[in-house]
C-alpha cells in the first residue's frame, strides 16, 4: 500500500502530522523485531502441530485446538503487517512471505485479502466502498437495515446478540472467500495461490483425520476454526464498529476520514500482543506502513495533534469498545423489531 504521506498536498493538516512522525523516526523499518517475531511464530506453529501429534487420539486435543487458534490468528496478524509492507519495503519479499503466512500456513488467500483490506483502508466505514461494512449478513446502518432482505434482515433484528456466535463462522467464511476469489480471471498468481491453498487444506485434513477418530476430528475442526474466527473477529470488531459511517455526502480530508472512523483500545502490553498492535487503529490507519511496534510510540503524537486541531480522538477500554459496537448494532436493528 502506498504511503499516504506521499498522497497528501504539502502543507495539509495530515502533512504536518506526517512530518512530526517522520522526524521521530517512527516510519523506519524494525528488522530485528520482525525477525524475532517471525521466528517465534514459526516455532509456535511447528511446536503446536508437534504437540498435536504427540497427544494423539485424545479429547485433550481440544486444548490443542484452542492453542492452534491463537497461533493461526497471530499468523494472520503477520500476514496483515506483510500486506502493508511494514516488514519489507519491497513488494517481492512481502508477497513471498505473505503467501507463506496466509495461504500455506492458515489457509487464507493472500491476494484476495490484501485487495479487500486495501479497499477498507482507502475508505474506512464508507457504506458504498468499504467491504468490511457491506451488509452480507450483519447490517451496519439503518439504511442497510431498511433495504435488507432474506438472511441479513432476519439476523438484523437480533444481531447484537448473534454477533459473537456468528464470529465462530468467520474463519470458514474467509476460507470460502479465498477459494471463490480464485475463480476470477483477474486474480494474480492464481496457480500459485490455488496450489498453496489446496496444499494447506490437504495436509491439514490429512493430519487431523489420520491422528483422530472421526468424532474427535470433527470436534477438533469445529473448535479450532470456531475459535480462530472468534479471535480474529474480536480483534477487528472494536476498531471501527459503532464509529461514524460515511456516505457519498461526506467530504472529509484524509486525516479526518481516518481518525473519525476509528477507535483505539487501551489495555497495556498484554492487549498489544493479543491484538497484534491493531488496538492502535487510528495510528495504523493514518500510517499503514508504520511497523507495528512503533504504533504505541506514535499514539501520543497523534493524539496531541488531534487535540490541537479539534479532531475527536476516540479511545476506550476493551469491554467499553465491545459495548459501543453492540449498542450500535442493536440500535440499527431496532426498526425491524417493531
Amino acid at each position: 500500500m502506498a504511503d499516504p504521506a506521499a498522497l497528501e498536498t504539502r502543507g495539509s493538516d495530515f502533512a504536518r502530522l506526517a512530518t512530526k512522525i517522520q522526524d521521530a523516526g517512527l516510519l523506519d523499518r524494525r528488522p530485528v523485531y520482525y525477525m524475532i517475531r517471525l521466528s517465534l511464530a514459526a516455532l509456535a506453529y511447528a511446536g503446536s502441530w508437534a504437540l498435536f501429534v504427540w497427544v494423539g487420539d485424545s479429547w485433550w486435543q481440544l486444548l490443542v485446538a484452542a492453542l492452534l487458534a491463537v497461533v493461526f490468528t497471530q499468523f494472520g496478524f503477520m500476514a496483515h503487517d506483510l500486506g502493508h509492507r511494514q516488514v519489507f519495503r519491497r513488494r517481492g519479499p512481502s508477497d513471498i512471505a505473505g503467501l507463506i503466512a496466509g495461504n500455506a500456513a492458515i489457509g487464507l488467500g493472500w491476494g484476495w485479502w490484501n485487495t479487500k483490506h486495501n479497499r477498507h483502508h482507502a475508505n474506512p466505514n464508507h457504506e458504498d466502498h468499504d467491504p468490511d461494512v457491506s451488509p452480507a449478513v450483519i447490517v451496519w446502518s439503518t439504511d442497510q437495515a431498511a433495504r435488507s432482505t432474506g438472511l441479513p434482515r432476519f439476523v438484523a433484528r437480533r444481531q447484537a446478540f448473534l454477533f459473537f456466535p456468528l464470529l465462530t463462522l468467520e474463519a470458514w467464511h474467509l476460507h470460502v472467500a479465498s477459494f471463490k476469489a480464485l475463480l476470477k480471471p483477474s486474480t494474480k498468481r492464481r496457480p500459485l495461490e490455488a496450489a498453496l491453498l489446496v496444499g494447506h487444506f490437504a495436509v491439514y485434513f490429512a493430519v487431523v483425520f489420520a491422528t483422530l477418530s472421526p468424532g474427535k476430528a470433527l470436534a477438533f475442526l469445529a473448535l479450532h476454526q470456531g475459535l480462530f474466527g472468534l479471535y480474529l473477529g474480536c480483534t477487528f470488531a472494536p476498531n471501527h464498529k459503532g464509529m461514524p459511517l460515511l456516505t457519498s455526502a461526506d467530504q472529509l480530508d484524509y486525516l479526518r476520514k481516518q481518525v473519525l472512523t476509528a477507535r483505539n483500545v487501551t489495555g497495556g502490553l498484554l492487549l498489544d500482543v493479543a491484538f497484534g498492535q491493531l488496538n492502535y487503529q487510528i495510528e495504523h490507519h493514518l500510517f499503514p506502513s508504520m511497523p507495528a511496534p512503533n504504533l504505541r510510540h506514535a499514539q501520543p503524537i497523534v493524539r496531541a495533534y488531534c487535540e490541537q486541531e479539534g479532531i475527536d480522538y476516540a479511545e476506550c477500554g476493551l469491554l467499553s469498545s465491545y459495548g459501543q459496537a453492540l449498542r450500535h448494532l442493536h440500535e440499527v436493528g431496532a426498526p425491524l423489531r417493531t
Side-chain angles (χ1 to χ4, degrees), residues 43-121:
L43 285 172
Y45 190 90
S48 298
W49 282 115
L51 178 63
F52 175 87
V53 174
W54 180 76
V55 170
D57 189 17
S58 166
W59 286 108
W60 287 106
Q61 291 287 14
L62 297 184
L63 294 179
V64 181
L67 173 62
L68 274 167
V70 174
V71 174
F72 270 45
T73 304
Q74 290 294 325
F75 262 78
F77 294 153
M78 285 302 314
H80 169 273
D81 290 6
L82 288 160
H84 285 296
R85 299 195 200 173
Q86 296 175 17
V87 185
F88 306 108
R89 289 188 184 278
R90 294 189 294 117
R91 180 187 297 273
S94 298
D95 285 348
I96 293 170
L99 286 166
I100 294 171
N103 294 53
I106 60 176
L108 296 185
W110 164 257
W112 162 77
W113 180 85
N114 221 14
T115 300
K116 168 182 171 292
H117 192 63
N118 285 348
R119 287 169 56 204
H120 159 69
H121 267 266

Side-chain angles (χ1 to χ4, degrees), residues 28-51:
D28 297 343
R29 292 297 179 272
R30 298 285 298 273
V32 174
Y33 165 84
Y34 276 111
M35 180 179 67
I36 295 172
R37 184 173 165 187
L38 285 166
S39 299
L40 290 175
L43 285 172
Y45 190 90
S48 298
W49 282 115
L51 178 63

Side-chain angles (χ1 to χ4, degrees), residues 33 47 55 73 144 218 231 273 300 328:
Y33 165 84
V55 170
T73 304
Q144 289 181 349
L218 292 175
Y231 185 3
V273 174
H328 171 75

Side-chain angles (χ1 to χ4, degrees), residues 264-268 271-272 279-280 299 303 315-319 321:
N264 278 10
V265 181
T266 59
L271 188 75
D272 291 358
N279 48 312
Y280 301 104
Q299 184 191 29
R303 182 169 51 198
E315 61 179 340
C316 63
L318 181 61
L319 294 181
S321 71

Side-chain angles (χ1 to χ4, degrees), residues 102-175:
N103 294 53
I106 60 176
L108 296 185
W110 164 257
W112 162 77
W113 180 85
N114 221 14
T115 300
K116 168 182 171 292
H117 192 63
N118 285 348
R119 287 169 56 204
H120 159 69
H121 267 266
N123 291 285
N125 262 27
H126 194 291
E127 286 196 43
D128 300 321
H129 304 303
D130 183 355
D132 288 354
V133 292
S134 62
V137 176
I138 300 289
V139 297
W140 307 103
S141 71
T142 52
D143 287 342
Q144 289 181 349
R147 297 194 305 267
S148 64
T149 59
L151 181 61
R153 189 173 186 87
F154 174 79
V155 170
R157 295 189 180 99
R158 296 288 183 270
Q159 60 184 11
F161 301 97
L162 296 173
F163 181 69
F164 287 110
L166 285 171
L167 287 181
T168 62
L169 303 176
E170 179 63 14
W172 294 113
H173 161 70
L174 295 173
H175 296 319

